[in-house]
Amino acid sequence: MKTASVTQRIDLHHHVFPPEYVTDLAQKGIDWTGGAGVPRWSLDHALETMEHHSIAAAVASAQPLVFWGDAKAAVRWARHSNEFLADIVRNDSAHFGGFASVPLPDVEAACREVAHAFDVLKLDGVLLATSCGPRYLGHPAYEELYQELNRRSAVAFVHPNTAPPGSDVPDYNIPNALVEFTFDTTRCIANLIYSGTLETYPNIRFIMPHAGGTAPFLSWRMGLGDHMPALKGKAPKGALHYLQRLYYDTALSASPAALASLTEAIPSSQIVFGSDFPFVAAHEIPVETTGLETSRFLDANTRRMIDRDNALQLFPRFASAV
């Protein structure tokens, strides 16, 4: 059943799966889903799901992530994933946009891929993993990439790594998709703040997944770093300033507890709709949309901002779609 909505949503957490790459990782025995399993996906299924749930357009990112310990393979699969995504966007630009994969940890290759994605493929932004090996976003090794994204005022959609460093805990057998992704995202946000990356590169517009993990809940505690001289120098405006400058999607986060924390800490102008399709299956999306439509923390104007208006600030080309 189609969900009730006075506006058409723009989904900024939406995935496509390049079949050849999915097959390659399966042959190598790599579990890239964080324990969630590989969901059903096809372009027709995506369009049907969007239609049924009042999603007018989606800015998609390709999954799986491209780095699994082989830097050369990451370069190859980033280009493959971006060409695959660009074909979808080119053939149906009214319904789809795209975040380009970049092959970190090879920074030079990542910068080349950014140039190709924006200048040749005309994609809408970039996809960054929260971490790559032991390095989280904010690490100084990626400085050249930050400079390039800042120069382009790029929109960067951040996605949890399905093998984050913090998940390497003895006797911890809970799938990463249940809890670790949120902690991985929180560590990424904290490192972006206290590495000085958000202060130095203010033009990069980061979208954080899953309501920022636990960052909104921990915003006051994270702000204690404002009283530590070594950290204060990297984030002179205070942690809350940088937290409130990021964007946050609502994927898997439309529960009362998550929305209470998110809306208390983050301005409504910084919250965007995300479904996490197809990891969130088509029949599960109404849990997310109903959660937003019935939330006591969101008035009608705020829901409209989350559904579409905030996304249009980032991607104005979709105005005709909604």
Side-chain angles (χ1 to χ4, degrees):
M1 178 178 289
K2 193 173 183 178
T3 58
S5 178
V6 296
T7 58
Q8 292 283 286
R9 299 180 175 93
I10 301 175
D11 187 355
L12 300 189
H13 192 146
H14 181 107
H15 298 304
V16 301
F17 296 167
E20 289 181 36
Y21 185 33
V22 172
T23 299
D24 179 76
L25 290 189
Q27 291 172 346
K28 293 175 179 175
I30 294 174
D31 175 15
W32 52 272
T33 69
V38 181
R40 170 193 173 197
W41 179 82
S42 71
L43 191 56
D44 287 343
H45 180 48
L47 286 167
E48 178 184 354
T49 300
M50 291 163 65
E51 170 65 22
H52 276 286
H53 299 295
S54 298
I55 299 171
V59 185
S61 53
Q63 290 288 313
L65 297 173
V66 297
F67 179 69
W68 296 93
D70 185 334
K72 289 185 178 179
V75 173
R76 172 194 173 192
W77 288 116
R79 179 59 57 89
H80 176 87
S81 297
N82 293 340
E83 298 282 358
F84 179 85
L85 182 54
D87 282 344
I88 293 173
V89 176
R90 192 179 301 115
N91 291 331
D92 191 355
S93 60
H95 288 104
F96 290 104
F99 292 113
S101 301
V102 297
L104 289 177
D106 187 334
V107 177
E108 289 187 11
C111 290
R112 288 195 300 271
E113 197 60 34
V114 167
H116 183 74
F118 279 99
D119 300 336
V120 178
L121 299 181
K122 306 300 182 183
L123 292 175
D124 299 273
V126 297
L127 163 68
L128 300 175
T130 47
S131 57
C132 186
R135 295 173 176 171
Y136 275 90
L137 292 180
H139 195 283
Y142 304 148
E143 204 79 18
E144 186 180 350
L145 178 61
Y146 309 143
Q147 292 171 1
E148 179 66 10
L149 296 177
N150 193 69
R151 183 181 71 82
R152 292 176 178 271
S153 296
V155 179
F157 171 66
V158 178
H159 195 273
N161 195 328
T162 50
S167 68
D168 187 16
V169 180
D171 297 324
Y172 187 79
N173 297 316
I174 300 172
N176 289 343
L178 293 186
V179 294
E180 183 57 36
F181 285 179
T182 63
F183 304 145
D184 186 57
T185 299
T186 303
R187 284 190 289 271
C188 174
I189 291 172
N191 202 50
L192 283 169
I193 293 171
Y194 285 122
S195 66
T197 304
L198 297 182
E199 172 66 19
T200 305
Y201 303 105
N203 295 334
I204 306 174
R205 293 167 289 171
F206 290 98
I207 303 171
M208 294 299 164
H210 308 133
T214 64
F217 177 79
L218 294 174
S219 56
W220 181 87
R221 184 177 184 130
M222 204 178 291
L224 294 177
D226 300 345
H227 306 291
M228 302 175 183
L231 298 182
K232 177 67 173 177
K234 297 288 189 179
K237 297 181 179 68
L240 189 60
H241 167 84
Y242 303 101
L243 282 168
Q244 293 183 337
R245 204 179 74 199
L246 299 170
Y247 288 85
Y248 301 80
D249 76 46
T250 60
L252 291 168
S253 304
S255 68
L259 289 175
S261 182
L262 181 64
T263 56
E264 178 68 23
I266 304 303
S268 56
S269 61
Q270 305 305 111
I271 305 172
V272 295
F273 177 75
S275 71
D276 209 351
F277 174 85
F279 289 113
V280 171
H283 69 275
E284 297 170 326
I285 291 178
V287 175
E288 299 180 309
T289 55
T290 301
L292 295 173
E293 291 166 354
T294 61
S295 173
R296 67 182 184 275
F297 304 107
L298 307 176
D299 60 23
N301 182 61
T302 301
R303 286 195 296 272
R304 184 170 61 251
M305 292 171 70
I306 293 170
D307 277 344
R308 53 161 280 176
D309 291 354
N310 294 338
L312 289 176
Q313 294 298 313
L314 295 171
F315 304 108
R317 76 174 183 86
F318 288 111
S320 59
V322 296

